[in-house]
Amino acid sequence: MYALVDCNNFFVSCERVFRPSLNNRPVIVLSSNDGCAVARSNEAKALGIKMGAPVFKIQDIVKKHRVECISGNLSFYGDMSQRVMSVLREMSPAIEVYSVDEAFLDLSGIPEHELKPLCQRIRKRVKKWTGIPVSIGIAPTKTLAKAAASVAKKYEEAEGVYLMNSLQARRSVLQRMDVGDVWGVGRKLSERFTYMGLNTAWKLSECDPAHIRELTSVVTQKTVLELQGTPCYAFGEEPDHRKQIISSRSFGEPVKDLKTLKEAVSTFVATGAEKLRSEGTEARAITVYASSSPFKGKYYANSTLITLDNATSDTGVLTKQAMKGVDEIFKQGVGFKKAGICLHDIQHKSAHQADLFSVVDNKRSESLMTAMDKLNSTMGKHTLRFGTSNPNGKWRNLCKHQSPAYTSDWAQLLVVK
Ligand SMILES: [Mg+2]
């Protein structure tokens, strides 16, 4: 059996851990530039605020019901996510982190009567140790576990855990589930299925998988098999090393000068390189990209790929290359609205190929980076940084209502009086 552990209203729940005054109130978390609602508390959902709703469209509801609007703080949520995952890792035989707020657990080998009590203990401990409420669905396949988790979330009687271990349970859940809510069935496909009369997950599960394959694809055939209880998606205990690291931002105001654009890109490089080092990896290539707003004026977008002679995680080396990239893609007269970097060709440090002609002194570079990371982790982000970067430059986002970095910056720790 598999379990899917899903954090409830994750971003909102993170905020509530440190601000209990937000409990039982309508709360939404906003995307970058405070544009759209990307997470909603149950109270906000009840007011009819839709996922992804643009803030300017829901101003009336926000004012009338005093909805708390919070600017998203992704590094904070990432940190809370790691805490949740580490509790799961400790309590279950094997875990596959699926997204920032979801993880699959492999529960094979656990006697059936133990499944529910185990998941209830997991749920209690995650809540107690991290403050985050989760819902858990248990089922024979990943697709069914996803469906079970949504039942666990929706119905109070389930008390946060739903075990789907019989045909009867499977039927009653799938009959009430829209085909579009099935894991892996996108909007297009769901329209097509509905047109064919397959409007519920149950009806889709009753189809002949081979027939579905002819009509659609092998991926959808797998979905049907999974709905029938035949596992098709393998469990990956440890996901592969990530293939790429992206660090990018939309700007609060359009950036028109080269210096500011460089400050932004250099800051992105620093973030990306720090991530590489924290994972013990190095990159051999970096892409720098920037674009104007697609909605205003003439659209301009450009990018450049730079391949390095040696894989590295040295912020200095990567920054130097990225700055050349910015020179290349910058265009006078363009108001840049977004820029970013992507590190690729990522490999583990241990795979490093020594280069006889390398000009980079690896030992020196490594101790400098270690010292920088140590300083920044103990004394606060960006305490020591490269002069080209400027984390508080003109390009910064408008995050008017962002909560403090409670868990990752000593200076912003919560003070209890
Ligand atoms: Mg969730």
Side-chain angles (χ1 to χ4, degrees):
M1 296 291 259
Y2 296 108
L4 177 77
V5 182
D6 183 8
C7 301
N8 301 347
N9 312 330
F10 183 56
F11 297 168
V12 171
S13 298
C14 290
E15 299 288 346
R16 281 177 167 169
V17 171
F18 290 87
R19 283 174 68 190
S21 63
L22 296 174
N23 287 335
N24 308 316
R25 288 189 47 203
V27 180
I28 55 175
V29 171
L30 308 175
S31 60
S32 64
N33 284 338
D34 293 348
C36 315
V38 289
R40 305 155 298 153
S41 72
N42 288 344
E43 296 79 6
K45 286 177 190 171
L47 290 174
I49 298 176
K50 294 270 176 293
M51 187 66 173
V55 173
F56 72 89
K57 277 197 180 162
I58 52 171
Q59 268 317 322
D60 294 344
I61 307 179
V62 166
K63 276 200 192 110
K64 190 171 165 206
H65 300 276
R66 297 180 43 234
V67 177
E68 187 79 35
C69 301
I70 301 173
S71 307
N73 187 341
L74 290 182
S75 61
F76 169 45
Y77 308 144
D79 191 58
M80 292 300 285
S81 166
Q82 281 185 15
R83 293 177 184 205
V84 172
M85 299 309 167
S86 74
V87 177
L88 298 180
R89 206 161 276 134
E90 211 167 278
M91 291 194 73
S92 57
I95 141 171
E96 178 189 324
V97 177
Y98 177 65
S99 71
V100 70
D101 72 329
E102 285 170 86
F104 287 106
L105 311 179
D106 182 355
L107 302 178
S108 46
I110 294 172
E112 191 164 303
H113 66 275
E114 292 272 345
L115 291 169
K116 216 171 159 181
L118 170 69
C119 288
Q120 261 148 357
R121 284 200 300 279
I122 292 176
R123 185 169 168 267
K124 275 208 185 105
R125 189 177 293 181
V126 172
K127 180 80 171 78
K128 191 166 181 189
W129 288 13
T130 69
I132 302 292
V134 299
S135 305
I136 307 181
I138 315 162
T141 70
K142 283 179 160 183
T143 306
L144 289 174
K146 272 270 203 188
S150 68
V151 174
K153 188 180 289 181
K154 229 182 263 165
Y155 301 102
E156 249 171 51
E157 315 86 82
E159 292 179 325
V161 179
Y162 185 78
L163 172 63
M164 192 196 281
N165 58 347
S166 65
L167 173 64
Q168 201 186 357
R170 185 159 67 86
R171 184 191 290 140
S172 92
V173 171
L174 297 186
Q175 276 177 342
R176 273 178 260 178
M177 189 175 187
D178 280 346
V179 74
D181 291 334
V182 174
W183 191 38
V185 175
R187 194 175 52 86
K188 273 232 171 90
L189 211 50
S190 110
E191 274 169 13
R192 198 162 153 205
F193 285 145
T194 309
Y195 182 73
M196 290 161 63
L198 307 170
N199 57 329
T200 66
W202 176 251
K203 285 185 189 157
L204 180 62
S205 79
E206 283 190 312
C207 291
D208 173 10
H211 182 56
I212 290 293
R213 180 183 178 155
E214 274 165 31
L215 286 172
T216 58
S217 68
V218 66
V219 181
T220 320
Q221 178 190 27
K222 282 184 181 173
T223 301
V224 174
L225 283 163
E226 285 241 326
L227 285 175
Q228 294 174 348
T230 310
C232 294
Y233 294 114
F235 188 86
E237 188 175 349
E238 282 298 322
D240 285 352
H241 267 303
R242 55 170 102 226
K243 302 276 186 300
Q244 55 183 34
I245 291 174
I246 293 174
S247 175
S248 74
R249 283 282 190 115
S250 301
F251 301 142
E253 291 291 324
V255 167
K256 289 185 173 141
D257 65 293
L258 183 62
K259 181 168 172 277
T260 310
L261 190 62
K262 281 189 171 175
E263 285 176 356
V265 170
S266 172
T267 309
F268 303 147
V269 173
T271 306
E274 198 180 292
K275 185 128 245 165
L276 284 173
R277 295 194 293 275
S278 75
E279 294 179 352
T281 52
E282 299 175 325
R284 263 201 76 165
I286 177 170
T287 299
V288 182
Y289 55 93
S291 62
S292 68
S293 163
F295 307 112
K296 260 188 221 155
K298 203 171 163 229
Y299 182 59
Y300 174 82
N302 203 349
S303 69
T304 180
L305 168 75
I306 301 149
T307 311
L308 308 166
D309 296 334
N310 281 294
T312 183
S313 60
D314 185 307
T315 306
V317 177
L318 290 165
T319 303
K320 201 170 163 188
Q321 298 301 326
M323 292 305 97
K324 284 187 204 161
V326 178
D327 282 326
E328 222 173 280
I329 63 176
F330 179 78
K331 193 173 162 192
Q332 203 63 253
V334 173
F336 288 95
K337 196 68 179 117
K338 188 177 179 173
I341 59 115
C342 177
L343 298 166
H344 20 196
D345 232 339
I346 292 176
Q347 60 183 53
H348 201 267
K349 228 166 67 179
S350 56
H352 190 93
Q353 297 269 338
D355 179 358
L356 218 51
F357 307 103
S358 168
V359 284
V360 182
D361 181 344
N362 280 322
K363 278 245 162 59
R364 239 186 102 195
S365 148
E366 211 174 308
S367 40
L368 177 61
M369 289 302 117
T370 309
M372 189 165 85
D373 290 342
K374 207 169 166 188
L375 268 171
N376 288 339
S377 74
T378 51
M379 301 186 63
K381 236 177 162 179
H382 311 302
T383 300
L384 187 64
R385 58 180 171 84
F386 279 78
T388 41
S389 72
N390 184 0
N392 297 311
K394 280 189 286 180
W395 57 273
R396 273 309 297 213
N397 261 339
L398 305 162
C399 288
K400 286 193 203 128
H401 322 281
Q402 195 168 56
S403 50
Y406 297 112
T407 61
S408 50
D409 184 352
W410 288 111
Q412 298 181 43
L413 274 186
L414 194 66
V415 177
V416 180
K417 289 180 185 158

